[in-house]
Amino acid sequence: MVDYLANTEINSQRIAEVESCFGASGQPLALPGRVLLGEGVLTKECRKKAKPRVFFLFSDILVYGSIVLARRKYRGQHIIPLEEVTLEPLPETLQAKNRWMIRTAKKSFVVSAASATERQEWISHIEECVRRQLLATGRPPSTEHAAPWIPDKATDICMRCTQTRFSALTRRHHCRKCGFVVCAECSRGRFLLPRLSPKPLRVCSLCYRELAAQKRREEEGPGAGSPAGGGASSGDDSDEDREGGGDGDWPSRVKFYDSGVSWSSFHS
């Protein structure tokens, strides 16, 4: 690790550059003792399609956002405390390589790197930062994680009733508990998931029945069930999709992940 960088001018300059790229829409990132350890472009699997996102690994947080102009302007800043993070490497397929899942209680999502080497660098650096954060805070590793949203393209029919076929007129919806793609009829229920939102959220019919039954058990007496606070990441992907036309933020003429180019760098 590079603790010696904490109070150096070069570290302060790096963090200031990141703040400048996010502009007024981003939160301040400079804190005493915080170190910017690495940065790079990863592919994030969002609701509608995979999209390039810029990621910054700090000693205590993971920050990512949309690319408007590479190394000059970013938006949609998201900040994840590292003590809440668990990583899950994903198996390789012909269509999907160098992937892993970033899990937290509020949101979980899949990212991929340009190469196996970069994937391993990201995973090892993040896991080491998480380990150090847990030691510093005295917190146990997180055990409750949100389910990731299944991408829209994964299915043409409702994953609950398996009858409704999606079209331009029949919208897809996502259960905030399990992350399944469901039709409106199979997601009429709303349930309070405190880890995700102070307001009741859309859940599928199966999850609604399970959550309602769990709530009844909890009301009947202590030890009858576990908290119903977990769920699927909801705000993250939907917020990014609402950026809409802003997804022209990666120029179509630029080939993403050009061969031979390193898309991530870690500071030492």
Side-chain angles (χ1 to χ4, degrees):
M1 297 297 288
V2 286
D3 291 339
Y4 67 90
L5 286 173
N7 299 309
T8 62
E9 183 177 354
I10 185 64
N11 182 62
S12 298
Q13 289 175 350
R14 288 168 177 162
I15 295 177
E17 288 174 4
V18 177
E19 290 179 329
S20 176
C21 288
F22 278 107
S25 64
Q27 296 184 37
L29 298 172
L31 284 179
R34 176 174 287 171
V35 178
L36 176 57
L37 297 171
E39 56 196 85
V41 176
L42 301 172
T43 300
K44 179 176 179 292
E45 295 186 10
C46 301
R47 173 182 177 179
K48 294 188 179 297
K49 62 179 181 179
K51 305 172 185 177
R53 294 289 181 253
V54 61
F55 280 77
F56 299 93
L57 175 61
F58 293 82
S59 51
D60 61 331
I61 57 174
L62 182 65
V63 177
Y64 71 92
S66 304
I67 303 167
V68 179
L69 190 60
R71 298 184 179 276
R72 295 184 63 181
K73 186 177 181 181
Y74 310 128
R75 68 177 175 195
Q77 184 191 76
H78 296 262
I79 300 176
I80 304 175
L82 285 177
E83 62 265 26
E84 300 176 5
V85 169
T86 302
L87 302 185
E88 179 186 337
L90 299 176
E92 300 281 288
T93 68
L94 291 176
Q95 293 77 26
K97 297 180 180 297
N98 309 320
R99 301 159 70 238
W100 72 98
M101 186 178 296
I102 298 175
R103 290 183 172 274
T104 76
K106 291 185 177 181
K107 64 183 68 173
S108 299
F109 54 91
V110 174
V111 294
S112 59
S115 66
T117 299
E118 287 192 24
R119 180 182 85 149
Q120 187 54 46
E121 285 185 327
W122 275 102
I123 290 177
S124 60
H125 280 84
I126 292 174
E127 288 183 337
E128 176 63 13
C129 288
V130 170
R131 185 188 68 81
R132 291 169 64 93
Q133 272 299 105
L134 292 176
L135 285 174
T137 60
R139 291 180 54 173
S142 178
T143 56
E144 294 188 12
H145 306 113
W149 277 18
I150 294 175
D152 285 1
K153 65 181 180 181
T155 180
D156 291 326
I157 61 172
C158 173
M159 298 177 73
R160 282 304 178 211
C161 68
T162 69
Q163 300 297 317
T164 301
R165 183 166 294 276
F166 300 120
S167 67
L169 299 178
T170 305
R171 289 188 55 200
R172 290 170 169 84
H173 299 278
H174 278 80
C175 171
R176 269 60 169 180
K177 176 63 178 176
C178 67
F180 274 29
V181 183
V182 292
C183 64
E185 185 64 29
C186 288
S187 59
R188 290 182 176 275
R190 301 292 186 273
F191 210 92
L192 183 63
L193 301 172
R195 291 183 182 274
L196 301 184
S197 172
K199 299 179 180 180
L201 299 174
R202 179 189 296 269
V203 294
C204 69
S205 52
L206 177 61
C207 286
Y208 184 88
R209 292 195 297 271
E210 292 178 347
L211 288 166
Q214 182 174 312
K215 184 179 179 181
R216 286 195 297 271
R217 290 194 299 270
E218 291 171 355
E219 291 173 346
E220 289 170 359
S226 59
S233 3
S234 54
D236 182 54
D237 287 337
S238 55
D239 285 347
E240 291 191 6
D241 284 331
R242 279 198 293 269
E243 290 171 5
D247 255 359
D249 48 350
W250 191 265
S252 58
R253 66 181 181 277
V254 178
K255 183 180 178 182
F256 190 53
Y257 286 161
D258 284 332
S259 60
V261 176
S262 177
W263 287 83
S264 302
S265 61
F266 296 90
H267 308 309
S268 60

